[in-house]
């Protein structure tokens, strides 16, 4: 574990459950006390995921305070949470820095994702109620609208919401908890793959095939479609990471 100047254990896990339409246009945070810390964490996380802060870049507290409109105390609490999620790390005498995923790390994450999400698709096909299937189909339509009209933040949020509906319908608490432990890094890789030219269109086509298998209650076909979707995303994201790594080595 990396050394950290943050030791407060009073942090909240913050899986992205917000619909695309509910996201603010910028990174300013609503000031309702009961959700403020969660909102600050989510705001900084989203800023990282859409490239406002790049891998290896410092996260100056003053800039984060100006971006979110909250105090240093709340920003520091959010940074502690993001460090626990593996999205940032703290360098002594330099401060918090956005973590940089290596291609080898991404490969490991995608291997786990393929197995777990494939299982989630199979379980959804076998267990989900008709109402849960309708919710997933609605989430897919929202995802299509976000890809057609929304920005990168709306697209990422819509994709995350789709997966939340999928996991809810799978009905396996252990599976959901395990994937949430990887949530921030999964979202970072998802953001990386979605930015690749042509990937959004292919992603929608793959998810459309998955929905057909789910609607048919075909667990085997659903698992195959879900696994294929993850493998294709992995191929794109890891290619981007390798190209970035090579460009950095050449500088």
């Amino acid at each position: 574990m990396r050394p950290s100047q943050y030791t407060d254990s009073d942090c909240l896990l913050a899986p992205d459950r917000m619909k695309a339409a509910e996201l603010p246009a910028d990174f300013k945070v609503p000031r309702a006390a009961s959700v403020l810390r969660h909102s600050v964490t989510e705001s900084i996380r989203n800023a990282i995921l859409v490239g406002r802060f790049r891998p290896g870049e410092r996260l100056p507290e003053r800039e984060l305070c100006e971006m979110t409109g909250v105090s240093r105390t709340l920003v520091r609490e959010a940074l502690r949470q993001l460090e626990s999620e593996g999205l940032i790390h703290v360098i002594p005498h330099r401060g918090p820095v956005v973590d940089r995923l290596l291609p080898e790390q991404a490969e490991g994450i995608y291997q786990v994702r393929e197995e777990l999400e494939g299982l989630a698709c199979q379980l959804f096909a076998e267990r989900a109620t008709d109402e849960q299937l309708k919710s997933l189909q609605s989430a897919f339509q929202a995802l299509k609208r976000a890809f057609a009209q929304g920005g990168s933040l709306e697209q990422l949020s819509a994709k995350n919401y789709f997966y939340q509906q999928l996991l809810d319908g799978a009905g396996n608490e252990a599976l959901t908890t395990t994937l949430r432990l990887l949530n921030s890094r999964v979202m970072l890789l998802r953001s990386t793959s979605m930015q690749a030219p042509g990937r959004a269109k292919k992603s929608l086509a793959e998810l459309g095939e998955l929905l057909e298998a789910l609607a048919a209650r075909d667990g085997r076909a659903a698992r195959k479609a879900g696994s294929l979707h993850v493998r294709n995303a992995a191929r794109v994201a890891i290619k981007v990471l390798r190209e970035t790594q090579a460009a950095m080595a050449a500088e």
Side-chain angles (χ1 to χ4, degrees):
M1 182 177 294
R2 297 185 179 94
S4 170
Q5 69 190 62
Y6 304 118
T7 59
D8 188 353
S9 62
D10 183 22
C11 296
L12 297 178
L13 288 176
D16 190 349
R17 297 177 65 95
M18 187 179 293
K19 294 182 180 180
E22 296 172 347
L23 283 168
D26 57 22
F27 298 106
K28 292 293 183 184
V29 169
R31 304 195 67 86
S34 61
V35 299
L36 189 55
R37 182 170 55 182
H38 170 91
S39 297
V40 175
T41 304
E42 187 168 278
S43 176
I44 299 174
R45 184 191 296 109
N46 285 337
I48 293 170
L49 295 176
V50 301
R52 172 67 177 78
F53 298 100
R54 309 293 296 180
E57 186 175 348
R58 290 184 63 248
L59 295 163
E61 284 187 3
R62 178 178 295 181
E63 186 173 348
L64 295 177
C65 290
E66 292 174 354
M67 183 186 80
T68 58
V70 301
S71 69
R72 285 178 181 265
T73 298
L74 285 168
V75 164
R76 288 171 181 171
E77 290 177 351
L79 290 174
R80 283 195 290 270
Q81 173 60 33
L82 295 175
E83 185 184 17
S84 74
E85 295 174 10
L87 200 56
I88 70 171
H89 65 276
V90 177
I91 300 176
H93 311 300
R94 190 180 177 201
V97 175
V98 179
D99 213 6
R100 191 188 303 277
L101 278 178
L102 299 176
E104 296 76 15
Q105 292 175 301
E107 286 177 346
I109 292 170
Y110 275 115
Q111 286 173 349
V112 174
R113 273 193 64 194
E114 181 178 341
E115 293 299 322
L116 295 181
E117 292 184 16
L119 175 59
C121 293
Q122 178 181 343
L123 293 177
F124 188 102
E126 296 171 351
R127 297 180 177 180
T129 65
D130 290 342
E131 188 63 32
Q132 287 171 324
L133 177 60
K134 289 179 182 179
S135 294
L136 186 66
Q137 290 169 332
S138 295
F140 180 64
Q141 294 304 316
L143 178 60
K144 291 173 66 174
R145 290 192 296 271
F147 275 16
Q149 304 171 359
S152 56
L153 187 58
E154 290 77 13
Q155 293 169 8
L156 186 62
S157 178
K159 190 74 176 287
N160 293 336
Y161 183 70
F162 175 88
Y163 274 101
Q164 184 59 57
Q165 299 308 301
L166 179 68
L167 290 174
D168 287 349
N172 185 307
E173 182 180 355
L175 174 62
T176 299
T177 300
T178 303
L179 280 170
R180 282 180 178 170
L181 292 174
L182 294 172
N183 192 45
S184 287
R185 289 192 162 198
V186 166
M187 286 195 295
L188 185 59
L189 290 170
R190 186 172 292 152
S191 177
T192 301
S193 66
M194 286 168 58
Q195 292 171 16
R199 178 56 195 159
K201 183 177 180 180
K202 292 180 180 178
S203 178
L204 286 175
E206 292 162 6
L207 292 178
E209 293 178 2
L210 169 60
L211 274 175
E212 290 179 3
L214 295 174
R217 303 296 183 175
D218 188 335
R220 180 178 297 180
R223 184 164 191 157
K224 182 178 179 180
S227 296
L228 178 62
H229 177 65
V230 175
R231 282 200 303 276
N232 289 340
R235 186 161 46 247
V236 172
I238 292 170
K239 182 176 182 291
V240 172
L241 292 176
R242 292 194 189 283
E243 290 173 348
T244 301
Q245 188 179 54
M248 291 178 58
E251 291 179 355

